[in-house]
Amino acid sequence: MIRQDEGEVVSVRGSVVDVRFPGSLPQIHNLLDAEGTAIEVLLHLDLDLVRGIALTPTGGLARGAKAIDTGRPIMVPVGDKLLGRVFNVFGKPIDHGEKIDAQDLRSIHQNPVPLSRQTTASEIFETGIKAIDILSPLERGGKAGLLGGAGVGKTVLIMELIQNMASKYQGISIFCGVGERCREGEELYREIKEVGVLDKSVMVFGQMNEPPGARFRVGHAALTMAEYFRDDAHQDVLLLIDNIFRFIQAGSEVSGLLGQLPSRVGYQPTLSTELAELEERICSTESGAITSVQAVYVPADDFTDPAVVHAFGHLSASIVLSRRMSSQGLYPSIDPLQSRSKMLSEAVVGREHYRIAQKIRKTLADYEELKDIIAMLGLEELSAEDRRIVNRARRLERFLTQPFFVTEQFTGHKGRMVKLEDALDGCERILKDEFQDYPEGSLYMIGNIDEAKK
């Protein structure tokens, strides 16, 4: 039985609580229970005083209240019983389902996998989505950023990735909502249930209305669950984090409440360390891989913002969603010229894939430059070669659209999952002008290129 040391609350300032322990001090990250308020110890102020951050509201907590050291950090359940359920930062179900009777509880604070156990081979994580697999391929065990504003299709893309992960890899998807709106979380849960992939998913939320401490730790809770499926169940895990910027924001709030001097642009001085503690746990080992797709909010479209710069340092691919393409009905609205991946090199994807991808980029970039001339003078004023470039580019744009399984009921188009070699073959044939006499509409919302002939 863990010996429970008792302390006394000496000050409450918002979410920051100072507790005096006359006996031995609780360890850093230990959880305190102060009359129902959960507090995580973050600092030792002196020989008998600790400072912690509240993970639940502090309303009603006063000086003199008893605080009990539980003797352990936040522990969350792990195992197959988690599948199909929704949890909070403490690993407690919040979906009104039955209580989880988990025998295996693990601390949310785990060390990253040592380099000796990580696999160093660069493997491609095929998603079955043409625009991603050809132009910004994901790394198995890597981290990809999903950048875009509201309404351009981030959530739909995340749901399609969950669907494809379940059907192609028989893997597990873990969705981690950091600072999610309650409405967004509820909608996502309902949609995942409707498309039938809930039994292969786990959802963990630190919602927007919760204290910053809960939002700051929910990513670690989700990662602990993901590490079980990778290390113990030997399965591939797709970890979706929405939104990594809100994790940094929660850390900034915690830092300010603790009285730390702010750093550049008002961010916490420990920004890079806190982000690294989370990101470095995402990797692949001999037993399985955690592949992460993270939505990144770019404040005021400023890519030099410290939060964005530090997040980008950890990403192996960035997928940029374009509002212009979305308004033209080109879904998924992935911008082929702005999206990037470290995997797109000859050494990793092979010479043929690299050559086709570069040719697609050049064709679309040339078309982008010609758009102004077309708008002013019309297509007829272009040279024969320029007209061929426009013809190819418009067909490539339409071929890179794809009907999703999760949108079947809204679009009437049956969902497609396209193999990488089929997607490359289609693009190659369009670049060779094999489809120049086909109407553009025949290439829109299809899977393989041969469907255009039908």
Side-chain angles (χ1 to χ4, degrees):
M1 188 70 187
I2 298 165
R3 189 168 64 88
Q4 294 192 327
D5 291 328
E6 213 172 77
E8 183 186 15
V9 173
V10 292
S11 80
V12 182
R13 295 186 313 285
S15 292
V16 172
V17 183
D18 289 355
V19 186
R20 175 163 283 114
F21 280 88
S24 59
L25 286 182
Q27 292 180 8
I28 298 290
H29 297 320
N30 269 16
L31 195 62
L32 311 180
D33 179 8
E35 297 184 358
T37 301
I39 301 162
E40 186 182 30
V41 176
L42 291 185
L43 295 171
H44 287 166
L45 297 178
D46 57 36
L47 293 175
D48 63 353
L49 197 62
V50 298
R51 179 166 289 169
I53 191 88
L55 305 173
T56 52
T58 53
L61 189 64
R63 289 177 64 183
K66 290 278 182 287
I68 295 167
D69 174 19
T70 60
R72 56 190 177 87
I74 303 167
M75 309 286 277
V76 293
V78 295
D80 293 338
K81 290 180 181 176
L82 273 57
L83 295 172
R85 303 299 301 275
V86 187
F87 299 93
N88 64 10
V89 67
F90 302 106
K92 290 180 179 159
I94 52 171
D95 54 4
H96 303 298
E98 59 189 44
K99 197 168 176 277
I100 296 278
D101 180 28
Q103 305 301 317
D104 196 354
L105 291 169
R106 295 191 186 172
S107 164
I108 66 165
H109 300 283
Q110 302 285 350
N111 292 323
V113 175
L115 285 172
S116 56
R117 277 187 51 220
Q118 292 184 24
T119 51
T120 52
S122 293
E123 286 181 67
I124 296 297
F125 176 83
E126 268 192 54
T127 62
I129 298 168
K130 291 181 281 193
I132 294 177
D133 289 344
I134 295 174
L135 296 167
S136 49
L138 305 189
E139 181 185 8
R140 181 175 177 266
K143 297 168 271 277
L146 196 59
L147 297 95
V152 290
K154 285 200 300 293
T155 304
V156 171
L157 198 53
I158 278 174
M159 283 166 52
E160 186 71 5
L161 286 167
I162 292 174
Q163 159 78 36
N164 292 359
M165 181 70 178
S167 57
K168 185 174 193 288
Y169 291 93
Q170 279 76 51
I172 302 300
S173 298
I174 295 184
F175 181 88
C176 173
V178 184
E180 280 280 280
R181 297 172 185 87
C182 306
R183 170 187 58 79
E184 288 175 339
E186 193 272 335
E187 281 174 7
L188 187 72
Y189 174 76
R190 205 170 55 230
E191 285 165 1
I192 287 175
K193 195 174 182 178
E194 278 172 15
V195 296
V197 293
L198 189 63
D199 60 335
K200 287 281 183 185
S201 312
V202 181
M203 299 174 80
V204 193
F205 286 107
Q207 294 171 60
M208 204 176 255
N209 60 335
E210 292 184 47
R215 286 180 269 129
F216 188 47
R217 289 299 183 217
V218 71
H220 295 276
L223 256 169
T224 300
M225 296 174 183
E227 283 165 348
Y228 164 84
F229 289 109
R230 179 192 66 193
D231 300 334
D232 296 45
H234 305 301
Q235 285 178 296
D236 278 4
V237 182
L238 181 64
L239 176 67
L240 303 134
I241 303 176
D242 189 8
N243 188 306
I244 205 69
F245 175 78
R246 294 201 195 116
F247 165 77
I248 293 168
Q249 211 172 27
S252 179
E253 288 178 55
V254 168
S255 172
L257 289 165
L258 292 175
Q260 293 174 343
L261 281 174
S263 180
R264 203 170 132 231
V265 199
Y267 284 106
Q268 62 271 43
T270 50
L271 188 156
S272 56
T273 317
E274 289 166 2
L275 190 61
E277 279 174 0
L278 187 77
E279 298 281 12
E280 291 304 307
R281 289 170 66 182
I282 301 168
C283 64
S284 54
T285 66
E286 294 294 335
S287 56
I290 298 175
T291 305
S292 173
V293 177
Q294 309 171 6
V296 183
Y297 167 68
V298 182
D301 292 338
D302 177 15
F303 281 82
T304 63
D305 187 272
V308 180
V309 170
H310 281 96
F312 265 47
H314 292 278
L315 302 177
S316 54
S318 53
I319 300 160
V320 181
L321 299 179
S322 154
R323 193 171 299 283
R324 176 183 56 79
M325 292 179 68
S326 167
S327 64
Q328 291 172 8
L330 300 172
Y331 289 106
S333 53
I334 295 165
D335 190 322
L337 298 177
Q338 285 192 294
S339 301
R340 288 280 178 273
S341 171
K342 291 176 186 171
M343 293 290 103
L344 195 60
S345 69
E346 272 189 57
V348 179
V349 297
R351 180 176 292 177
E352 194 63 11
H353 181 162
Y354 181 74
R355 182 184 64 78
I356 293 169
Q358 293 306 102
K359 213 168 172 186
I360 292 168
R361 281 233 170 93
K362 185 177 186 322
T363 304
L364 292 172
D366 290 347
Y367 174 45
E368 205 62 39
E369 287 174 12
L370 292 168
K371 276 181 180 175
D372 289 342
I373 300 171
I374 297 167
M376 287 188 287
L377 304 173
L379 198 61
E380 296 73 26
E381 296 302 314
L382 297 179
S383 67
E385 179 52 37
D386 283 348
R387 278 207 293 273
R388 275 198 292 275
I389 287 171
V390 172
N391 190 308
R392 279 179 218 135
R394 288 183 64 84
R395 278 156 180 75
L396 278 171
E397 278 187 341
R398 275 140 191 82
F399 179 62
L400 289 174
T401 62
Q402 188 169 333
F404 281 175
F405 292 100
V406 296
T407 57
E408 277 179 13
Q409 67 222 63
F410 309 113
T411 62
H413 294 286
K414 194 174 185 318
R416 303 282 198 288
M417 198 168 170
V418 184
K419 288 181 183 168
L420 176 60
E421 51 266 34
D422 293 337
L424 289 169
D425 174 58
C427 291
E428 174 82 323
R429 287 163 70 181
I430 291 170
L431 289 164
K432 286 179 177 171
D433 291 333
E434 193 179 313
F435 290 84
Q436 63 178 351
D437 298 325
Y438 282 70
E440 289 172 6
S442 67
L443 294 159
Y444 180 68
M445 284 294 172
I446 60 170
N448 299 345
I449 194 77
D450 293 329
E451 291 178 32
K453 295 182 176 178
K454 293 173 188 173

